[in-house]
Amino acid sequence: MGMKRGTTLAAAVIAVALAATACGQADDKVADPAKPAGAASSQAPAADGAAAGGAKAAGQLAIGDNAEIGSILSDSAGLTLYRFDKDTAKPSKSNCEGDCAKTWPVVAAGDVTAVAGMDPALLGEVVRGDGTKQLTVAGWPAYRFNKDAKAGDTNGQGVGGTWFAFAPDGKKAAKAAPGAAAPAEAGAGLSVAKDPKLGDHIVDGKGMTVYRFKPDTAWPMVSKCVGDCLTKWPVVPPVDKANVKGITERNYLVLDRPDGKKQQTVDCWPVYTFAGDKKPGDINGQGVGGTWYAVAPDGKLITVQ
């Protein structure tokens, strides 16, 4: 699918905004322990574009946090994007026509940009019965709901038991039911500890040092630590922002791993602990293999030895 690459002033402004907030940009520098963690940045959405037939394109996508259903995908105006259970993703096909499409306006293909932390490969298009092209996310046709009046509205969630907001990975937005995840340790979370050698660095709820793996990527979010690697370097499970103290909350997202585990990221970078650290304060994983390093409060690597 084509992405809009105009040279207008608006496009230039968008490009600058994206460069400033994209995951993994200008990272991997030695963190300066004397500098505080960077503040979270905001990203102004682009204006919606209109497509043939009156359908509107999505523009710059965004990720919002809904207290009831978790992370949701929205268009440049902040309107929630939805998927329909009666559609199919493989192959992509829309089964919402006529009056259905009046209640659930289709999102036109084209003029769309993935949000930081989202895999651009998830975006695609499907040709509808009338010949127009509709945006797809992970193969699922995308819609808006005509009863959502303002940014952040999710009035379409669960309608008829078949309509659901998109999560950033293309799945249905839904918070895990209480008790669905492994029980957390008392005081579980992420915070900042100080070490004479490393300076300020992130630790988990047990006080164990948190690490990053250099081969990983933040754009898109990908963990290269798989199989036996995870025995030595367990993933940090999702941590609610309410249990985060002193670290950046910018691009604080959860990675859905191919192995089914969910992993916390800091500024879109997957984070881990080290099995070789036996007690709080240990930093035995620092520099291992020239690829594993502790994490500064702003999400950057601490590469001092």
Side-chain angles (χ1 to χ4, degrees):
M1 106 175 328
M3 298 295 180
K4 186 173 181 182
R5 301 184 184 281
T7 56
T8 62
L9 177 60
V13 171
I14 295 170
V16 171
L18 286 174
T21 58
C23 296
Q25 296 288 330
D27 193 66
D28 285 347
K29 295 180 180 178
V30 177
D32 183 350
K35 292 183 179 180
S41 59
S42 60
Q43 181 170 297
D48 270 272
K56 292 183 179 180
Q60 171 62 55
L61 298 181
I63 297 175
D65 188 28
N66 183 281
E68 295 181 355
I69 58 177
S71 294
I72 56 175
L73 198 62
S74 62
D75 66 10
S76 61
L79 293 175
T80 303
L81 300 184
Y82 296 89
R83 46 176 279 181
F84 184 33
D85 277 358
K86 294 183 180 180
D87 288 347
T88 59
K90 295 181 180 180
S92 297
K93 186 179 187 302
S94 169
N95 289 307
C96 179
E97 306 282 352
D99 289 342
C100 173
K102 293 178 182 178
T103 303
W104 301 92
V106 306
V107 180
D111 189 19
V112 60
T113 305
V115 63
M118 177 186 182
D119 186 351
L122 292 174
L123 302 179
E125 61 183 36
V126 61
V127 178
R128 295 175 55 79
D130 59 7
T132 60
K133 294 181 179 180
Q134 182 175 4
L135 174 70
T136 61
V137 182
W140 291 96
Y143 307 82
R144 299 179 181 87
F145 184 44
N146 67 0
K147 292 185 179 180
D148 283 348
K150 63 183 184 302
D153 281 354
T154 56
N155 298 312
Q157 178 71 4
V159 169
T162 56
W163 290 92
F164 298 91
F166 271 112
D169 59 1
K171 296 178 181 178
K172 301 175 187 178
K175 274 194 171 180
E185 293 284 337
L190 294 177
S191 59
V192 178
K194 186 178 289 291
D195 179 85
K197 186 192 318 186
L198 302 181
D200 288 345
H201 63 288
I202 299 176
V203 296
D204 69 5
K206 299 177 183 178
M208 306 302 288
T209 302
V210 169
Y211 299 89
R212 271 182 44 195
F213 188 35
K214 287 189 76 173
D216 287 350
T217 60
W219 180 247
M221 290 191 299
V222 175
S223 167
K224 299 295 180 65
C225 180
V226 298
D228 291 342
C229 174
L230 295 175
T231 302
K232 291 184 179 180
W233 302 92
V235 305
V236 174
V239 177
D240 191 280
K241 283 186 180 180
N243 291 328
V244 170
K245 296 181 180 178
I247 74 172
T248 182
E249 293 185 12
R250 181 185 63 181
N251 297 321
Y252 188 78
L253 304 171
V254 173
L255 170 65
D256 288 311
R257 298 172 53 88
D259 56 16
K261 296 180 187 237
K262 292 185 179 294
Q263 182 173 12
Q264 184 61 55
T265 72
V266 177
D267 197 16
C268 290
W269 291 97
V271 290
Y272 312 77
T273 52
F274 181 44
D277 287 344
K278 302 304 181 184
K279 64 182 186 304
D282 281 355
I283 54 171
N284 299 316
Q286 179 68 2
V288 169
T291 55
W292 290 94
Y293 295 95
V295 187
D298 61 0
K300 290 183 170 61
L301 295 175
I302 301 175
T303 57
V304 295
Q305 296 292 321

